[in-house]
Amino acid sequence: MRIRGTIRRSLGRLEPPPRVVDWSLLVVVLAEAATGLVSFTVGTPDGWPVFWLHRSLGLAIVVLLGWKLARVRHRLLDRRLWRRSTALSVLTLVATVGTIATGALWVVGVDVRVSYWTLLSVHVGFGLLLVPLVASHAVTRFRPPRRVDFEERRTAVQYGLLLIAGAIGYRLQQGANALLSTPGADRRFTGSQPREGEGNGAFPVTSWVADDPDPIDRTNYRLSVTGLVAAPREFDADELAGNDETSALLDCTSGWYTVQEWGGIRVGDLLEAAGGVERGDDGASDDRSARGAYVRFVSVTGYRWTLPVAEAEDALIATHVGGDRLAHGHGGPARLVAPGRRGFQWVKWVTRIEVRAERDPAQWVVTLVSGFD
Ligand SMILES: Nc1nc2c(c(=O)[nH]1)N[C@H]1C(S)=C(S)[C@@H](COP(=O)(O)O)O[C@H]1N2
Ligand SMILES: [Mo]
């Protein structure tokens, strides 16, 4: 009892003023949405700080929420104090708890499916819901912050401590995962859990939202290589197969990864076979719009992704996985294998490769809506 009293007293002493707690929650939730979304684009270990920040801020939310609930508890529990905006507050609370709970369970390695959603996808869903909820909650309930709230040195110290506590908490949890060898211990730095085995059956078919084309007849299949290459041309499936093999790790943002042997042809060799990338320097003046700098991979569904030329050259157009012909679900007859990129960038059912001068910002939207009529 003495210890509990001491903890409560020191937590109480750390507690920032109510307005600061509320606005901090808003800011931290927005920062979580931002780091969460950015983390989707990180595929190589040097991007670890994004994940570290996301997890540490997540633990900071727990503390902030504890302070906040201790303060507003009576308003939720006493019916006479309910207002119209209370419903929104409760909804916001439910989404917050849902986001934190699914995130925490995922971190310790709980791997249940909700139909074909992983717990991580549910976490993302709750998190995205939370952003408009917290924003409207702020509009209906928050008091404007006062300058004095943020001027105190104490507040800065409190925040420093909170973040450090979050980081330590996360380290301790990793240690506990390893000690107890929970499934969470095998997670990659991205949080993804392993799918073991070789070939088509070893890992899930994952298509983004609504992309679901009919199977492509292999004999009629053609891959065209066009744009800023000297001699645009088409390839059939046999011309792609059997040229190169590479081991590469596919890491899906829905929370799993797999290492497979992929067979097919290096994109650099495909581009060479199409006359090579135009360098745009044979005219009198350098014409940037005639220089191939990016390579766009387009699916039969319209789904597409673009890589810088140098990276694209080392990517693979795969026709095989683990020695088997690539199954339809995995993008057969041919898909992009882009080592170091997240799964959603590994375009399936590639039918066109276009060398371009420009990058392709619209791909973000196209990817999300691909397959919707
Ligand atoms: N054309 C197309 N390519 C796609 C997708 C898609 O929906 N359409 N999904 C992507 C996603 S999110 C992932 S994780 C990988 C999954 O590949 P798999 O289905 O072979 O596991 O393919 C990517 N390529
Ligand atoms: Mo994915």
Side-chain angles (χ1 to χ4, degrees):
M1 272 348 267
R2 272 253 296 287
I3 298 177
R4 248 182 81 185
T6 313
I7 292 179
R8 184 172 300 164
R9 243 182 333 234
S10 23
L11 266 181
R13 212 169 316 141
L14 275 178
E15 180 175 351
R19 278 186 303 268
V20 175
V21 171
D22 289 352
W23 284 97
S24 304
L25 272 168
L26 175 66
V27 170
V28 176
V29 165
L30 294 179
E32 283 295 69
T35 50
L37 291 175
V38 168
S39 81
F40 274 5
T41 67
V42 177
T44 49
D46 54 350
W48 66 267
V50 183
F51 297 92
W52 174 84
L53 195 61
H54 189 77
R55 287 155 191 165
S56 302
L57 288 174
L59 288 175
I61 291 185
V62 175
V63 177
L64 287 165
L65 192 66
W67 280 327
K68 165 129 196 172
L69 284 177
R71 191 181 86 228
V72 302
R73 196 179 39 197
H74 70 282
R75 269 194 254 146
L76 294 178
L77 297 180
D78 186 343
R79 268 209 76 136
R80 287 163 307 174
L81 296 176
W82 287 4
R83 308 269 172 282
R84 181 107 47 87
S85 60
T86 306
L88 182 62
S89 307
V90 170
L91 215 58
T92 310
L93 176 61
V94 168
T96 310
V97 172
T99 313
I100 294 172
T102 48
L105 287 173
W106 183 257
V107 161
V108 299
V110 176
D111 192 8
V112 291
R113 302 294 149 74
V114 183
S115 83
Y116 74 106
W117 291 59
T118 61
L119 212 50
L120 186 65
S121 320
V122 179
H123 173 72
V124 173
F126 267 125
L128 290 176
L129 188 67
L130 194 53
V131 173
L133 281 177
V134 171
S136 5
H137 179 65
V139 170
T140 54
R141 292 221 76 127
F142 279 23
R143 306 278 144 71
R146 295 220 209 114
R147 195 93 158 282
V148 45
D149 290 338
F150 292 91
E151 269 173 357
E152 278 184 60
R153 190 157 353 121
R154 227 185 68 166
T155 312
V157 173
Q158 285 162 343
Y159 276 88
L161 286 178
L162 205 56
L163 205 60
I164 292 170
I168 294 175
Y170 183 66
R171 278 297 311 170
L172 287 178
Q173 175 279 320
Q174 276 181 314
N177 259 357
L179 260 182
L180 306 173
S181 47
T182 63
D186 302 338
R187 290 174 322 126
R188 253 191 121 208
F189 73 97
T190 58
S192 292
Q193 300 179 4
R195 297 291 177 263
E196 312 282 1
E198 268 176 44
N200 286 301
F203 57 105
V205 165
T206 307
S207 286
W208 194 243
V209 199
D211 235 39
D212 185 20
D214 290 332
I216 299 171
D217 173 19
R218 193 174 177 281
T219 48
N220 294 330
Y221 169 82
R222 295 290 180 276
L223 170 67
S224 68
V225 178
T226 68
L228 297 171
V229 285
R233 56 164 285 195
E234 291 190 338
F235 298 82
D236 63 28
D238 287 334
E239 291 173 291
L240 303 178
N243 292 285
D244 294 289
E245 197 158 287
T246 190
S247 165
L249 184 154
L250 168 56
D251 184 341
C252 173
T253 49
S254 71
W256 56 267
Y257 74 90
T258 187
V259 179
Q260 297 290 332
E261 262 320 298
W262 306 91
I265 186 166
R266 249 185 101 247
V267 173
D269 293 342
L270 269 178
L271 297 176
E272 278 312 307
V277 172
E278 301 275 16
R279 298 293 168 186
D281 50 9
D282 25 309
S285 65
D286 266 8
D287 181 1
R288 283 199 61 179
S289 65
R291 186 189 313 152
Y294 296 92
V295 182
R296 173 146 90 185
F297 298 87
V298 188
S299 171
V300 71
T301 65
Y303 190 108
R304 66 187 198 227
W305 204 262
T306 298
L307 301 175
V309 160
E311 185 184 355
E313 283 172 342
D314 281 332
L316 194 79
I317 288 294
T319 53
H320 287 70
V321 63
D324 305 333
R325 230 175 232 175
L326 207 57
H328 165 64
H330 289 307
R335 79 170 309 158
L336 175 63
V337 167
R341 295 284 182 154
R342 296 303 290 271
F344 71 90
Q345 294 154 321
W346 294 35
V347 181
K348 299 195 280 193
W349 313 291
V350 176
T351 52
R352 197 166 79 242
I353 296 179
E354 253 175 77
V355 180
R356 298 157 44 87
E358 308 285 336
R359 52 178 92 239
D360 180 20
Q363 67 193 2
W364 292 97
V365 181
V366 171
T367 302
L368 283 178
V369 302
S370 183
F372 287 111
D373 296 320

